[in-house]
């Protein structure tokens, strides 16, 4: 019901903006590669409640790859010009890590393998940062027998941890500040904490190692040498992390790695291109 309400709002918003006419009732919908049939049916039902029919579901990495080749501003050759090349989409966002290996032929993009990990998304790193901050802050409040948090304070702290994670992509330190986090701390009830990039790297290393390791897991399963990958398209918010970027460059080199400058929206743009082209993908 919540998803249906969100879709009704988005549909009305698009109509009010004049982007589409009032007859808008179809959508191309991207999904994580690990979304099973039951959850796809539930998502389809939710959109139908909002009077939107799903034309087709598209795996998120494939939508990103389609946008990469279809958008003239990407500078990429058309996939119709390519013959017998392999492309790997590495999509690491807040919720999931998705990998799709595709074969590029003349006029075709064929999915060879998919891999999805729902336990290494950026949200999990945010939670790890939050636990660390709470542990460190609690050490300085040993006087209170049991610290009590303000209502909604933990959600604000989680948001601040996510912002710090983003800032640490370009800085060495980031401030995490939540006023009146505690109700009964002796002295200062605020959380005012400086997180360093070194500590962030330490807290996220297991997630990053697991995520990067998924690449070789997929390729080894298919007995494909990494050097055969002509293009690695990296998308999603997590690819802004310097450690992840460095690891991808080490695996594929700067010439075969393309880090999308539109990683936060290339998937939705891919769905729009697919809808515009009426490309019935299978």
């Amino acid at each position: 019901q919540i998803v249906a309400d969100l879709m009704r709002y988005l549909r009305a918003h698009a109509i009010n903006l004049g982007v589409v006419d009032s007859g808008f009732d179809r959508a191309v919908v991207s999904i994580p590669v690990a979304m099973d049939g039951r959850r796809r049916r539930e998502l389809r039902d939710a959109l139908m409640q909002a009077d939107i029919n799903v034309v087709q579901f598209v795996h998120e990495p494939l939508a990103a790859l389609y946008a990469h080749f279809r958008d003239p501003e990407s500078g990429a050759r058309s996939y119709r010009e390519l013959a017998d090349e392999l492309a790997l989409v590495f999509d690491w966002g807040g919720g999931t890590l998705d990998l799709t290996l595709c074969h590029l032929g003349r006029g075709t993009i064929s999915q060879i393998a998919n891999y999805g990990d729902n336990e290494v998304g950026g949200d999990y790193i945010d939670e790890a940062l939050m636990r660390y901050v709470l542990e460190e802050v609690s050490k300085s409040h040993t006087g209170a027998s049991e610290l009590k948090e303000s209502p909604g304070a933990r959600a604000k702290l989680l948001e601040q941890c996510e912002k710090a994670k983003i800032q640490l992509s370009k800085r060495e330190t980031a401030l995490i500040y939540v006023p009146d986090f505690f109700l009964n701390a002796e002295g200062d009830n605020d959380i005012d904490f400086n997180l360093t990039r070194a500590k962030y790297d330490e807290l996220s290393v297991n997630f990053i190692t697991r995520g990067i390791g998924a690449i070789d897991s997929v390729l080894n399963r298919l007995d494909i040498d990494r050097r055969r990958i002509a293009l690695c398209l990296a998308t999603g918010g997590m690819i802004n992390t310097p450690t992840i970027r460095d690891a991808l460059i080490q695996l594929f080199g700067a010439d075969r790695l393309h880090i999308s400058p539109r990683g936060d929206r290339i998937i939705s743009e891919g769905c729009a291109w697919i809808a515009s082209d009426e490309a019935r993908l299978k």
Side-chain angles (χ1 to χ4, degrees):
Q1 291 175 348
I2 292 172
V3 172
D5 285 342
L6 176 60
M7 293 301 108
R8 290 189 190 99
Y9 171 81
L10 292 174
R11 181 175 184 271
H13 186 57
I15 292 172
N16 291 336
L17 287 176
V19 176
V20 294
D21 59 35
S22 57
F24 163 57
D25 61 359
R26 296 181 300 155
V28 173
V29 181
S30 65
I31 56 173
V33 297
M35 179 174 277
D36 58 23
R38 178 184 61 82
R39 290 189 292 166
R40 288 198 298 271
R41 287 193 297 273
E42 292 173 349
L43 183 56
R44 187 186 295 274
D45 290 344
L47 268 75
M48 288 185 67
Q49 290 181 38
D51 297 323
I52 299 174
N53 294 307
V54 177
V55 176
Q56 63 178 313
F57 288 117
V58 181
H59 285 146
E60 291 175 350
L62 184 60
L65 188 62
Y66 195 94
H68 174 71
F69 285 121
R70 186 63 176 80
D71 186 355
E73 295 183 3
S74 70
R77 291 182 295 164
S78 169
Y79 67 89
R80 300 184 186 281
E81 302 173 11
L82 302 174
D84 197 28
E85 293 191 4
L86 295 177
L88 178 71
V89 184
F90 185 83
D91 175 34
W92 200 342
T96 61
L97 167 66
D98 289 337
L99 279 75
T100 289
L101 181 65
C102 294
H103 178 268
L104 308 175
R106 294 196 180 277
T108 64
I109 301 176
S110 302
Q111 288 179 265
I112 298 174
N114 294 310
Y115 172 88
D117 192 336
N118 298 333
E119 298 180 357
V120 294
D123 294 345
Y124 286 89
I125 296 178
D126 299 341
E127 292 174 0
L129 296 178
M130 181 178 68
R131 289 193 297 270
Y132 167 72
V133 171
L134 285 174
E135 290 173 2
E136 292 300 304
V137 171
S138 297
K139 293 177 183 177
S140 61
H141 292 288
T142 55
S145 57
E146 183 179 354
L147 291 172
K148 294 182 180 179
E149 300 173 6
S150 301
R154 190 166 287 227
K156 295 178 182 177
L157 176 58
L158 187 61
E159 181 183 10
Q160 288 297 308
C161 289
E162 180 187 12
K163 290 181 178 179
K165 177 187 69 178
I166 295 171
Q167 291 171 354
L168 289 172
S169 296
K170 299 180 179 179
R171 303 180 188 175
E172 292 299 321
T173 62
L175 175 65
I176 297 174
Y177 177 69
V178 181
D180 300 320
F181 183 87
F182 296 110
L183 292 172
N184 63 333
E186 293 184 0
D188 191 358
N189 284 313
D190 301 343
I191 283 185
D192 189 345
F193 189 87
N194 277 301
L195 181 68
T196 65
R197 180 185 288 182
K199 177 53 69 172
Y200 167 72
D201 289 342
E202 178 185 330
L203 294 169
S204 61
V205 64
N206 290 337
F207 296 99
I208 293 175
T209 300
R210 175 170 165 175
I212 296 296
I215 295 173
D216 281 336
S217 295
V218 171
L219 297 181
N220 291 341
R221 191 174 73 227
L222 299 171
D223 195 23
I224 293 176
D225 192 296
R226 195 190 308 141
R227 290 171 293 185
R228 287 189 57 197
I229 305 299
L231 167 69
C232 176
L233 175 63
T235 69
M238 286 298 295
I239 62 171
N240 294 315
T241 303
T243 308
I244 295 176
R245 287 188 173 221
D246 292 345
L248 291 174
I249 291 174
Q250 185 175 356
L251 287 175
F252 299 103
D255 56 330
R256 292 183 292 150
L257 174 65
H258 179 79
I259 297 177
S260 174
R262 308 186 319 283
D264 59 339
R265 59 188 185 277
I266 190 172
I267 292 172
S268 55
E269 289 178 357
C271 288
W273 280 115
I274 291 168
S276 176
D277 294 343
E278 297 184 354
R280 298 308 300 269
L281 305 182
K282 299 181 181 179

